Amino acid sequence: MGIFNRKKLSPSSSLDSPQPLSKTEYDSSVPHTGAADGMAHSLPDHTQLHRGLKARHITMIAIGGAIGTGLIIGTGAALARAGPGAILISYSLVGFLVFLVMCALGEMAAWLPLASGFTGYAARFCDPALGFSLGYTYWFKYIIVTPNQLTAAALVIQYWVPRERINPGVFIAIFLVAIVCINYFGIRFFGELEFWLSSIKVLVIVAVILLSLILALGGGPDHDRKGFRYWKKPGAFKTYIMDGDAGRFLALWSTMVTATFAYLGTELVGVTVGEAQNPRKTIPRAIKLTFYRILFFYILSVFLLGMLVPYDSPELLFANKKTNSASASPFVVAIQVSGIQSLPGVLNGAILLFVFSAANSDLYIASRTIYGLAKEGSAPAILARTDKRGVPIYALGLSTMFALLAFMNVADDSRTVFGYFFNLVTIFGLLTWISILVAHIYFVRARRAQGVADHQLAYTAPLGIAGSYGALVSCIIIAIFKNFNVFTRSPSTYGAFDYKNFITGYLGIPLYLIMIFGYKYWTKTKGVTPMTADLFGGKQAIDDEEAEFLARKAEKNKGKNKGNWFYRTFVSWLL
């Protein structure tokens, strides 16, 4: 039930969950076909996605969504503000929270892969109002991020072509047309392209990590073995706003926001479940391996960065005043300090691919999110219509219209406005994680009440409901205190009250709550109880579809080599 479909239905009613069914009853009335080209399940009204994402697409999209400019550029500002020890702690803590969120999402996705993603889980297991609010919150996040990424791409190109020669709007238009075409050509084309773009991301970040290790051990042109020198002088922790231990704690806490922004997008895999082949295997695998990717790509990279660049480095402070280009990356600062002069242009090109891939996947998520809301009845039904390739063309068109906001950045002063949008993106991201954790808590309660044991699930969260409770409390604390510096009164430094960052930093919270309670008031819905939560609606159709796919795959792979031990052990987790 939703704003655009006010017919009286049960709380769990939706196109994904036609009617609440008992534990032993399954809905077999949903037509589905196992198309040879990728398990497409289609209905006469053309509102179904195609399962064209293969296992390798899912795993690479999962990691590609988590590696972006937040890691390769944003860490510089955090290092300059708090020091190497602080960013190592904050990235480790937030990384653990992200892992718990992904585990919670994986348990629900492995049980019932819904085309509407985690918005469907929130509506089905907790409350339709939560699904409504979560869906629009997530959509707001990505219609803001997409034009920001397009702007970042144009700014990176200015490394070679100054804006005085060619207006950035030209490059914004080129990139926008490119990502719209990629999304329009279908999920198979999108998945294949994102696979290769994300593969390049992985190769680049691995190369940067290896180079950082070599430089830290004295393998650079300067042959300076730095080790932990900068952890001692100027130190591992810097003060922020206040002096002493209180200042060091505030510096540490300020980097929690940067770490959160860097990890945003990790939950992208939850949006792909409706277009994933054999989702009960591919989704849990992608999520379980998230832990090792966080450990390797994030924690190891910020650890090595802290060994190479002191927080008081003039080059680092200068870099943090730059825009999204290689000169703003702390890793480039580390390379330049070590005496390597020819690499910045190469890394700048890699960053351009990072940003292009991010813009491409962001537009994909935005279109699929509003499509999921339309499927749930919470957005106009036309947004749920798909073409013959399974592309929600109207949802894609609407999301593309908001991407035109990127042209605001043709003017110099609009960069400041979009800087505030990043504040909004962070709070929207935190509210998304909070909603996923709440949905998982209600899911666990429901399956326990209805007698679904852990061994019946394809995947269970390692720390169970306790891990979700702990992560939920932590995310709420970060969301409330993430912009604490706006309350500091230091006219000479921070001003009496930073109202602009206050508004952009906290606007998401009242908007989120207004959507929840406004939806409940408008539609008169009630929350879902553990016994009435629809755990089985539509599950049989997905089970049959999965069995058909596995049978075809087994027949196709009969007599083939399943891969060597080296690949399965040392490479598959990375890709």
Side-chain angles (χ1 to χ4, degrees):
M1 181 176 71
I3 293 295
F4 298 94
N5 182 13
R6 298 195 61 195
K7 182 179 178 181
K8 187 68 176 178
L9 299 173
S10 64
S12 59
S13 296
S14 68
L15 286 171
D16 282 322
S17 52
Q19 290 292 337
L21 302 174
S22 67
K23 182 181 175 181
T24 57
E25 294 176 313
Y26 298 93
D27 184 2
S28 59
S29 63
V30 180
H32 63 284
T33 60
D37 64 343
M39 284 177 63
H41 51 87
S42 58
L43 290 175
D45 60 352
H46 303 293
T47 62
Q48 298 300 312
L49 303 175
H50 288 188
R51 294 194 186 278
L53 292 179
K54 300 179 181 179
R56 61 188 179 89
H57 296 152
I58 297 294
T59 53
M60 287 309 299
I61 288 174
I63 189 171
I67 298 178
T69 54
L71 171 64
I72 204 165
I73 294 177
T75 47
L79 176 63
R81 186 167 59 248
I87 62 171
L88 181 62
I89 293 173
S90 62
Y91 274 72
S92 300
L93 290 176
V94 177
F96 183 64
L97 292 181
V98 171
F99 176 66
L100 294 177
V101 172
M102 294 297 290
C103 290
L105 177 59
E107 183 173 312
M108 296 184 290
W111 173 258
L112 192 64
L114 296 180
S116 53
F118 39 74
T119 60
Y121 301 131
R124 180 182 281 226
F125 303 138
C126 182
D127 194 313
L130 180 63
F132 177 83
S133 182
L134 169 59
Y136 276 101
T137 296
Y138 204 60
W139 188 58
F140 292 157
K141 170 190 169 185
Y142 279 98
I143 61 175
I144 293 173
V145 168
T146 303
N148 266 299
Q149 299 288 11
L150 291 171
T151 302
L155 293 174
V156 170
I157 289 182
Q158 290 180 37
Y159 181 86
W160 298 285
V161 183
R163 63 180 295 122
E164 291 77 18
R165 285 181 54 192
I166 301 179
N167 192 294
V170 174
F171 300 112
I172 291 174
I174 293 172
F175 283 119
L176 179 57
V177 171
I179 64 173
V180 170
C181 290
I182 291 169
N183 278 266
Y184 178 74
F185 288 149
I187 189 60
R188 280 194 141 198
F189 181 77
F190 169 85
E192 197 65 32
L193 183 65
E194 269 303 302
F195 171 80
W196 290 109
L197 288 177
S198 296
S199 298
I200 294 174
K201 280 186 181 182
V202 171
L203 292 176
V204 169
I205 196 66
V206 169
V208 168
I209 289 174
L210 290 177
L211 179 60
S212 298
L213 178 61
I214 292 171
L215 295 178
L217 296 177
D222 59 355
H223 302 294
D224 182 12
R225 190 183 181 109
K226 298 177 177 64
F228 289 93
R229 177 192 308 165
Y230 299 135
W231 283 60
K232 297 178 181 179
K233 185 180 181 181
F237 297 91
K238 183 181 178 181
T239 59
Y240 179 60
I241 298 179
M242 301 175 64
D243 296 326
D245 292 340
R248 282 184 279 273
F249 172 77
L250 292 178
L252 169 63
W253 188 259
S254 69
T255 62
M256 299 292 279
V257 182
T258 308
T260 300
F261 180 78
Y263 284 111
L264 292 180
T266 310
E267 73 289 335
L268 164 61
V269 68
V271 184
T272 66
V273 295
E275 296 171 280
Q277 295 178 351
N278 193 16
R280 291 208 175 96
K281 180 180 179 181
T282 57
I283 299 298
R285 180 178 182 272
I287 288 173
K288 284 189 291 186
L289 296 177
T290 299
F291 174 80
Y292 301 103
R293 293 168 184 151
I294 289 173
L295 186 66
F296 182 79
F297 291 113
Y298 283 89
I299 298 177
L300 181 59
S301 62
V302 298
F303 172 70
L304 292 172
L305 179 64
M307 297 173 67
L308 292 172
V309 182
Y311 66 70
D312 61 351
S313 169
E315 291 85 358
L316 180 64
L317 296 176
F318 175 78
N320 281 317
K321 297 177 183 178
K322 291 292 184 182
T323 52
N324 283 26
S325 65
S327 59
S329 172
F331 294 98
V332 173
V333 172
I335 293 169
Q336 292 174 335
V337 168
S338 299
I340 303 177
Q341 302 299 327
S342 59
L343 199 57
V346 177
L347 186 55
N348 198 67
I351 292 175
L352 181 61
L353 285 178
F354 274 39
V355 177
F356 178 78
S357 174
N360 188 38
S361 61
D362 289 343
L363 183 60
Y364 166 83
I365 303 170
S367 63
R368 269 36 174 202
T369 301
I370 195 65
Y371 161 84
L373 286 166
K375 287 278 289 181
E376 294 289 335
S378 299
I382 192 174
L383 297 176
R385 290 189 60 84
T386 59
D387 62 10
K388 62 182 180 180
R389 296 182 303 274
V391 178
I393 52 176
Y394 297 105
L396 177 61
L398 179 62
S399 300
T400 301
M401 288 176 61
F402 285 94
L404 297 175
L405 290 171
F407 289 102
M408 292 172 57
N409 285 264
V410 171
D412 283 338
D413 55 358
S414 63
R415 297 180 189 179
T416 304
V417 176
F418 266 70
Y420 296 134
F421 280 175
F422 277 107
N423 257 338
L424 283 170
V425 169
T426 305
I427 189 61
F428 286 147
L430 283 167
L431 292 172
T432 298
W433 293 352
I434 289 171
S435 301
I436 292 173
L437 293 167
V438 170
H440 178 251
I441 291 171
Y442 275 79
F443 170 73
V444 174
R445 289 178 179 176
R447 66 177 180 83
R448 288 178 178 175
Q450 298 183 32
V452 179
D454 289 354
H455 67 82
Q456 294 178 259
L457 276 67
Y459 173 76
T460 55
L463 299 184
I465 194 171
S468 292
Y469 272 119
L472 176 62
V473 172
S474 300
C475 287
I476 291 174
I477 292 174
I478 294 176
I480 294 174
F481 296 104
K482 74 182 189 71
N483 287 93
F484 70 91
N485 56 312
V486 303
F487 299 103
T488 58
R489 296 182 176 274
S490 178
S492 61
T493 309
Y494 305 101
F497 179 68
D498 190 352
Y499 70 92
K500 294 181 181 179
N501 276 306
F502 173 78
I503 293 173
T504 56
Y506 292 105
L507 178 63
I509 295 177
L511 185 62
Y512 176 78
L513 296 175
I514 288 171
M515 285 190 292
I516 290 178
F517 293 108
Y519 183 94
K520 293 185 74 68
Y521 173 79
W522 183 268
T523 61
K524 310 300 181 186
T525 58
K526 295 182 180 180
V528 180
T529 64
M531 288 304 299
T532 61
D534 184 10
L535 298 179
F536 298 93
K539 186 174 182 295
Q540 183 62 50
I542 297 174
D543 291 342
D544 293 342
E545 189 180 65
E546 179 184 33
E548 186 178 349
F549 170 79
L550 292 176
R552 287 201 315 274
K553 184 178 179 181
E555 183 67 26
K556 182 179 179 181
N557 295 335
K558 187 178 295 185
K560 290 186 178 181
N561 187 2
K562 294 184 178 181
N564 60 61
W565 171 85
F566 179 83
Y567 177 85
R568 294 195 308 270
T569 306
F570 297 105
V571 181
S572 64
W573 72 271
L574 193 63
L575 301 178

